[in-house]
Amino acid sequence: MPGLIAPSDYSREPPRHPSLQINSKEPFNAEPPRSALIGSYVTPVDLFYKRNHGPIPLVEDLEKYSISIQGLVDCQKQIFMKDVWKLPKYSVTATLQCAGNRRTAMSKVQKVRGVGWDVSAIGNAVWAGAKLADVLELVGIPKLTASTKTGGKHVEFVSIDKCKEENGGPYKASIPLTQASNPEADVLLAYEMNGETLNRDHGYPIRVVVPGVIGARSVKWLDSINVIAEECQGFFMQKDYKMFPPSVNWDNINWATRRPQMDFPVQSVICSLEDVNVVKPGKITVRGYAASGGGRGIERVDISIDGGKNWVEASRFQKSGIPYISDHPSSDKWAWVLFEASVDISNSTDIIAKAVDSAANVQPEKVEDIWNLRGILNTSWHRVQVDCRARTQAQILQVQASDPGSEI
């Protein structure tokens, strides 16, 4: 593509926030501290997790940058940024979550393959751009189309990004045409994030945002859109991001027996506490995030301090001053919900969070029950330990160092 440098040089990586936990340098994968996620409903761009499969492309000439739309369509077309800007602009608040979020907890059960994400491979942003349904109309595909005249039933997104899993070829993924052509699905060709021009880490100049679906389908640095008969045959659709039972290992795996993962299951995470905490007896405020795929709202978040025997319901909120009601027009259907609860701690224990979505889906209790060899979709109850024993001087110093304003 004209206007690009070859995406194979790690020396030209963009600047990043110093608090990010780097999980791999090449390709660059990093997440913010969990406490940063509950600082605001909309995640700041520099604290939004970074997920890459190769060096980050750099578009140097925006006027020459274009996207080809081809495949099983009436007329193929090449569109430039000016063409995208002419289309109606929509803003969609949507949470993106890596399928491998919370993989480290799953790897403690048994070794898995993949980037060692903690709990922060997730973020909530306001994305702005053209709806994919409007873009597809440029090549003769009406809204709410299930199949084109020539048999196109899926829409494939191909990136500028090159990755080793594709033998040096581009990263790619697809979604059904029914979803792509549905304006209510809010699939975007996004060129803004939180009111600013998309930056390189997040897909400049254009990325796809597929709300309610695992982040792997929201392809960054878009190069082309292909309307195809079958789902994308790329590595990340056919040989990765599929959910297998615990009985499957690398010796007996058959990728063809599972469909590519799309919607993310219901999830919740405590962000105001680390995995292990030294606290004094008394009331503790527990805060975190909850989210579910497919546009499903969060009906409830429950907190337990006695191993799940008894629960208290947390309050839920999104936008300031507007009560959160699951699946209500006033709520952001594609976005996470923040929660807060107060619990009284008198003994060392685990604090547990579990969420229920608007379809009554509940997080599974044990990570062992959903363990899989790729370590994806860890949505088991989230647990943090609190230690209420008498503090040693070393423990007091540790608390003061991590939180200078704490009351000891």
Side-chain angles (χ1 to χ4, degrees):
M1 175 183 291
L4 298 178
I5 64 166
S8 58
D9 182 7
Y10 284 103
S11 66
R12 301 184 69 176
E13 298 276 287
R16 278 113 179 190
H17 197 281
S19 72
L20 291 176
Q21 174 186 315
I22 299 174
N23 295 325
S24 71
K25 291 185 177 181
E26 297 180 4
F28 187 82
N29 289 287
E31 61 187 301
R34 65 179 69 178
S35 58
L37 296 181
I38 50 175
S40 60
Y41 172 57
V42 174
T43 309
V45 173
D46 58 351
L47 292 174
F48 206 98
Y49 77 101
K50 324 295 181 189
R51 177 66 174 115
N52 300 292
H53 293 87
I56 297 181
L58 172 61
V59 173
E60 294 185 308
D61 190 340
L62 193 59
E63 289 187 2
K64 292 181 179 178
Y65 170 80
S66 65
I67 300 166
S68 60
I69 309 174
Q70 53 200 11
L72 301 174
V73 295
D74 290 340
C75 60
Q76 302 193 12
K77 192 175 183 67
Q78 190 174 27
I79 58 173
F80 294 82
M81 284 303 302
K82 59 182 174 59
D83 302 313
V84 180
W85 288 331
K86 287 178 184 177
L87 294 170
K89 180 181 178 181
Y90 293 89
S91 292
V92 176
T93 304
T95 296
L96 292 187
Q97 181 173 197
C98 178
N101 193 27
R102 299 181 59 197
R103 180 177 281 131
T104 51
M106 196 168 275
S107 65
K108 291 176 182 177
V109 174
Q110 187 178 335
K111 186 178 179 180
V112 297
R113 291 184 188 176
V115 176
W117 297 109
D118 188 36
V119 301
S120 301
I122 186 173
N124 189 50
V126 180
W127 311 94
K131 285 198 177 183
L132 179 59
D134 289 339
V135 174
L136 292 176
E137 283 193 320
L138 299 177
V139 291
I141 299 178
K143 291 181 171 64
L144 302 176
T145 296
S147 177
T148 66
K149 295 175 183 177
T150 47
K153 295 182 179 180
H154 297 263
V155 178
E156 179 183 65
F157 312 113
V158 182
S159 176
I160 299 166
D161 183 23
K162 302 296 192 291
C163 48
K164 64 179 182 180
E165 292 89 349
E166 294 285 4
N167 297 315
Y171 183 97
K172 51 191 174 181
S174 69
I175 62 174
L177 180 58
T178 51
Q179 183 178 14
S181 64
N182 181 2
E184 297 300 315
D186 290 329
V187 182
L188 293 184
L189 297 196
Y191 47 79
E192 289 183 5
M193 182 181 182
N194 295 351
E196 301 175 356
T197 300
L198 206 62
N199 70 18
R200 282 181 61 204
D201 264 329
H202 296 293
Y204 174 85
I206 285 185
R207 71 170 300 164
V208 182
V209 173
V210 187
V213 168
I214 64 170
R217 313 309 176 207
S218 290
V219 175
K220 298 188 283 187
W221 313 294
L222 190 60
D223 177 72
S224 61
I225 298 172
N226 302 321
V227 178
I228 53 181
E230 305 292 337
E231 65 192 17
C232 169
Q233 295 301 300
F235 179 90
F236 296 99
M237 289 287 289
Q238 302 303 326
K239 296 290 182 72
D240 203 357
Y241 298 125
K242 293 183 176 183
M243 186 65 165
F244 285 90
S247 58
V248 173
N249 57 47
W250 292 107
D251 294 325
N252 63 18
I253 190 169
N254 181 352
W255 290 101
T257 62
R258 295 292 185 275
R259 297 177 61 251
Q261 184 66 36
M262 300 302 282
D263 287 7
F264 208 100
V266 63
Q267 171 80 288
S268 70
V269 165
I270 297 168
C271 295
S272 57
L273 297 164
E274 296 300 320
D275 289 333
V276 181
N277 309 264
V278 178
V279 301
K280 62 182 180 181
K283 289 195 176 297
I284 292 179
T285 299
V286 180
R287 295 188 294 152
Y289 66 77
S292 191
R296 293 180 291 275
I298 298 298
E299 195 65 33
R300 211 172 69 238
V301 179
D302 299 326
I303 306 296
S304 177
I305 60 172
D306 61 3
K309 297 176 182 177
N310 296 283
W311 300 88
V312 296
E313 186 173 351
S315 61
R316 296 159 294 134
F317 54 95
Q318 285 184 332
K319 295 163 283 190
S320 178
I322 302 176
Y324 173 77
I325 304 172
S326 175
D327 290 357
H328 191 272
S330 64
S331 301
D332 292 328
K333 66 180 293 188
W334 306 115
W336 66 12
V337 171
L338 301 181
F339 67 83
E340 182 174 312
S342 179
V343 294
D344 200 350
I345 300 295
S346 58
N347 301 294
S348 297
T349 188
D350 283 356
I351 300 178
I352 301 170
K354 69 174 173 70
V356 182
D357 72 13
S358 57
N361 297 308
V362 186
Q363 290 176 251
E365 177 180 354
K366 298 177 181 178
V367 66
E368 291 87 351
D369 295 338
I370 54 172
W371 182 93
N372 59 90
L373 73 177
R374 272 293 279 120
I376 66 167
L377 308 186
N378 180 10
T379 56
S380 58
W381 293 0
H382 188 231
R383 305 166 186 264
V384 295
Q385 296 178 26
V386 289
D387 185 349
C388 271
R389 293 174 297 179
R391 292 176 175 172
T392 65
Q393 184 62 27
Q395 289 171 329
I396 292 173
L397 292 173
Q398 179 185 8
V399 172
Q400 290 176 331
S402 62
D403 184 6
S406 63
E407 296 181 5
I408 302 295

